Amino acid sequence: MGELARQMVERAQSKGAQLSEAYGLDSKDLTIEVSKGVVETMKLAEDRGIGIRVFKAGKMGYAYTSDLSEAAVESTVDRALANAAFTGEDPFWRLPDKVNQYPQVDTYDPAIAQVSVERKIELAKEIEATARATDPRVKITERSSYQDAEYNVTVVNSQGIDATYRGAYCGAYAYLVAEEKGDNQTGFSLSYGLHFEDIDPKKIGREAAAKAVRMLGAKSVPSRRVPVVFDPYVTTQILGIVAPALTAEAVQKGKSLFAGKVGQSIASGKVSIIDDGLLPGRIQSAPFDGEGVPTSRTILIEEGQLKGFLYNTYTAAKDGAASTGNGSRGSFRGTPDVGTTNFYLEAGDVAPDDLIGQISSGLYVTEVMGMHTANPISGDFSVGAAGILIEKGRLTTPVRGVAIAGNLLEWLDRIDGIGNDLTFFIGKGAPTVRIKEMAISGN
């Protein structure tokens, strides 16, 4: 792939491109799904291809191919050059300069590929068996799955970047249904990382079962204003709305609630939000981003103060800044955007049980529905929610059919407690979070 990338860049330059960049990806994904102790799906998918970005007279053209024959590769370069003629001029198009040394990042464990398929199947079966053994009310396995992937990334450009790295990750997931007296409730658990031996199928099965069973008999409650505690998974869903608003791309397009607030206090002093492409053990870590820029640790909010935004090369040029190594590129089929790597809310020093134990009456939120409808510009949101009542410092009655509404900036500002249980869900992580007061709409 490296040789093909070099040939494409050389061809583009010889045909009049002022700048050019080739991005190659070679990946292999395995998915195994089990139900009732039987393998329902086993899929091995391979994806291989290369794309070329060219810049000529201030215009950008792009083309890609999964046919790696000489003729197809040459044709792809020609198409990218032809496409550039139909795009608008932009003075901020850049490519990063040559990098002499990239950071050392653990991204590949050969043991994942060496583990037999039979053992991976047994792991998925063990998750389901553990869940069903945990509680007889677990009746349906929507999904008990194992997944792994192996990939090679290559970036070559006319400025001297010539880089490649190899990565792999694996993980497992359970989604279950518990039933009792005509009531059905769901529960899930997942674990993804860089090493096969780190997957604990029993823990995944027990956790998914416990989450489903604890919600049986859930009902709505009267409307109220009370302290609200958010489960780490729900907090990561909220961070999923915050993250795009912390990119320079969103700010430059007028689509961020954080625009114009750098240096200001925009959250509780307990809040620090970080994007770290070098974080050990995480599957989104890498030595460089989709443009060949070294990844980095970027503090976005520090003790409540907005410090800055995430940049790729283009958005950095527009702001006269430097790329933070957040040129995001999940495929050879597209050009780089600005995206997160390992994006997380930093853990506090309080045990989750203590956050709950200090509340006389409140709600522990375990699920929200419709978070994607939050307005990224105003920050306003109104979502369905489910959880468990907090009474006298203890979790008591399961709750469904309520709604919570607010504003993301207010939500960040009202955080008065952060747990020490930072938990990652693929590329985003959060601990348990307590909001001092929120409106809950019920029956």
Side-chain angles (χ1 to χ4, degrees):
M1 191 67 77
E3 184 57 35
L4 283 175
R6 294 180 204 105
Q7 290 174 11
M8 293 178 83
V9 168
E10 289 171 5
R11 182 177 177 85
Q13 294 300 112
S14 69
K15 290 204 161 195
Q18 293 164 324
L19 296 170
S20 56
E21 168 208 78
Y23 176 88
L25 180 65
D26 190 349
S27 65
K28 185 186 300 182
D29 297 82
L30 173 67
T31 301
I32 297 167
E33 294 183 356
V34 169
S35 181
K36 297 179 181 178
V38 176
V39 176
E40 287 197 330
T41 303
M42 187 165 69
K43 179 174 67 177
L44 181 64
E46 297 187 32
D47 196 17
R48 191 167 187 240
I50 193 164
I52 178 105
R53 245 193 328 167
V54 299
F55 301 94
K56 188 175 181 180
K59 299 181 177 184
M60 189 269 285
Y62 189 75
Y64 68 88
T65 180
S66 55
D67 179 352
L68 303 184
S69 66
E70 183 177 350
V73 167
E74 290 182 356
S75 172
T76 302
V77 175
D78 294 343
R79 282 190 289 115
L81 287 163
N83 290 342
F86 297 98
T87 62
E89 290 186 36
D90 194 322
F92 299 108
W93 287 123
R94 304 281 194 281
L95 286 178
D97 293 327
K98 181 179 179 180
V99 177
N100 292 321
Q101 186 173 359
Y102 287 103
Q104 293 294 314
V105 183
D106 177 23
T107 59
Y108 181 72
D109 181 3
I112 294 174
Q114 293 167 4
V115 174
S116 68
V117 172
E118 289 79 10
R119 187 177 173 194
K120 294 171 181 177
I121 290 171
E122 287 305 313
L123 186 147
K125 288 182 177 180
E126 187 175 0
I127 292 171
E128 181 186 40
T130 300
R132 288 180 175 271
T134 298
D135 195 294
R137 290 172 291 180
V138 175
K139 302 292 187 182
I140 300 171
T141 303
E142 291 282 352
R143 185 174 301 160
S144 178
S145 65
Y146 168 86
Q147 182 185 19
D148 64 38
E150 184 175 340
Y151 57 92
N152 288 276
V153 174
T154 300
V155 180
V156 175
N157 76 17
S158 56
Q159 299 294 91
I161 282 181
D162 191 332
T164 185
Y165 76 92
R166 189 179 192 183
Y169 65 85
C170 59
Y173 178 87
Y175 187 72
L176 311 166
V177 179
E179 297 180 354
E180 185 178 48
K181 299 177 182 178
D183 184 26
N184 299 323
Q185 301 291 346
T186 59
F188 84 98
S189 179
L190 60 83
S191 176
Y192 279 78
L194 300 180
H195 305 288
F196 182 84
E197 295 301 330
D198 290 344
I199 302 174
D200 185 343
K202 286 185 168 59
K203 180 182 178 183
I204 295 170
R206 285 194 297 265
E207 186 174 87
K211 287 182 176 180
V213 169
R214 73 183 180 183
M215 294 303 296
L216 287 168
K219 297 178 181 178
S220 187
V221 294
S223 298
R224 59 189 72 186
R225 289 189 67 87
V226 291
V228 177
V229 178
F230 288 83
D231 173 271
Y233 179 66
V234 177
T235 306
T236 61
Q237 289 181 279
I238 296 172
L239 288 181
I241 304 300
V242 172
L246 286 169
T247 66
E249 183 176 32
V251 174
Q252 291 166 2
K253 291 180 177 179
K255 296 181 178 180
S256 171
L257 70 161
F258 299 111
K261 294 183 171 64
V262 173
Q264 297 180 21
S265 177
I266 51 91
S268 159
K270 297 179 181 293
V271 172
S272 292
I273 293 178
I274 298 163
D275 184 81
D276 191 350
L278 303 172
L279 197 63
R282 303 311 317 165
I283 69 175
Q284 296 285 16
S285 297
F288 55 83
D289 70 1
E291 298 180 289
V293 176
T295 51
S296 63
R297 182 177 188 268
T298 305
I299 299 175
L300 298 160
I301 299 173
E302 185 174 28
E303 296 180 353
Q305 186 182 79
L306 180 63
K307 308 300 285 188
F309 303 109
L310 300 176
Y311 289 95
N312 65 359
T313 303
Y314 174 78
T315 55
K318 290 190 78 170
D319 278 1
S323 172
T324 55
N326 288 89
S328 177
R329 206 164 181 169
S331 169
F332 60 87
R333 294 178 175 86
T335 55
D337 294 315
V338 187
T340 58
T341 57
N342 303 297
F343 184 89
Y344 64 98
L345 173 64
E346 197 168 49
D349 56 5
V350 183
D353 287 347
D354 291 338
L355 290 176
I356 294 168
Q358 296 163 4
I359 297 173
S360 60
S361 177
L363 179 67
Y364 178 66
V365 176
T366 60
E367 183 182 0
V368 291
M369 290 75 77
M371 199 65 219
H372 64 282
T373 63
N375 189 314
I377 302 173
S378 68
D380 294 334
F381 66 88
S382 179
V383 297
I388 305 171
L389 281 181
I390 302 171
E391 297 175 292
K392 297 179 181 179
R394 296 176 59 247
L395 297 177
T396 57
T397 309
V399 174
R400 291 192 74 85
V402 299
I404 55 175
N407 180 275
L408 290 174
L409 286 174
E410 291 178 1
W411 186 88
L412 288 167
D413 185 58
R414 290 178 179 176
I415 292 175
D416 71 347
I418 297 180
N420 59 6
D421 57 337
L422 174 59
T423 306
F424 270 88
F425 301 89
I426 315 296
K428 291 182 176 61
T432 300
V433 166
R434 186 178 66 198
I435 309 299
K436 57 186 176 184
E437 188 178 75
M438 286 189 76
I440 300 169
S441 299
N443 56 28

